[in-house]
Amino acid sequence: PASLAAAPPEQQKQILGERLFPLIHALEPMLAGKITGMLLEMDNGELLNLLESPEALSAKIKEAMGVLQVHQQAAEEGAGDVGTVAN
């Protein structure tokens, strides 16, 4: 999109985030904000690809969900258990 290309980099991130959020929200409404924030750490070129490819976006959302679940489980198990492996 021409408006995106003309925008300064930090504004590009905001535009991309505003376009990604509703797509992510449709799939993961509870965590859309968190997932959008995670994805915005990616390169702008990669983000454009996600906007153009629902399959790629869905895969990235699943990847982000996996990361969030690992962090959630670690948080629930308590800080005292960090570094231990359950069998």
Side-chain angles (χ1 to χ4, degrees), residues 41-82:
E41 293 177 22
M42 295 169 57
D43 180 71
N44 285 1
E46 292 178 73
L47 293 171
L48 279 171
N49 182 51
L50 295 182
L51 285 170
E52 292 166 6
S53 169
E55 298 83 16
L57 179 59
S58 181
K60 276 291 172 198
I61 291 171
K62 286 189 179 121
E63 196 179 308
M65 289 294 294
V67 170
L68 288 171
Q69 285 169 349
V70 167
H71 283 288
Q72 185 63 35
Q73 286 171 348
E76 286 172 4
E77 288 169 9
D81 295 334
V82 172

Side-chain angles (χ1 to χ4, degrees), residues 16-26 29 31-34 36 51:
L16 289 166
E18 288 169 1
R19 291 185 187 172
L20 280 167
F21 181 81
L23 301 174
I24 296 169
H25 189 269
L31 293 168
K34 197 166 259 232
T36 303
L51 285 170

Side-chain angles (χ1 to χ4, degrees), residues 3-28:
S3 60
L4 184 67
E10 61 277 3
Q11 201 175 344
Q12 287 180 3
K13 281 280 190 220
Q14 185 176 347
I15 293 168
L16 289 166
E18 288 169 1
R19 291 185 187 172
L20 280 167
F21 181 81
L23 301 174
I24 296 169
H25 189 269
L27 297 171
E28 290 295 339

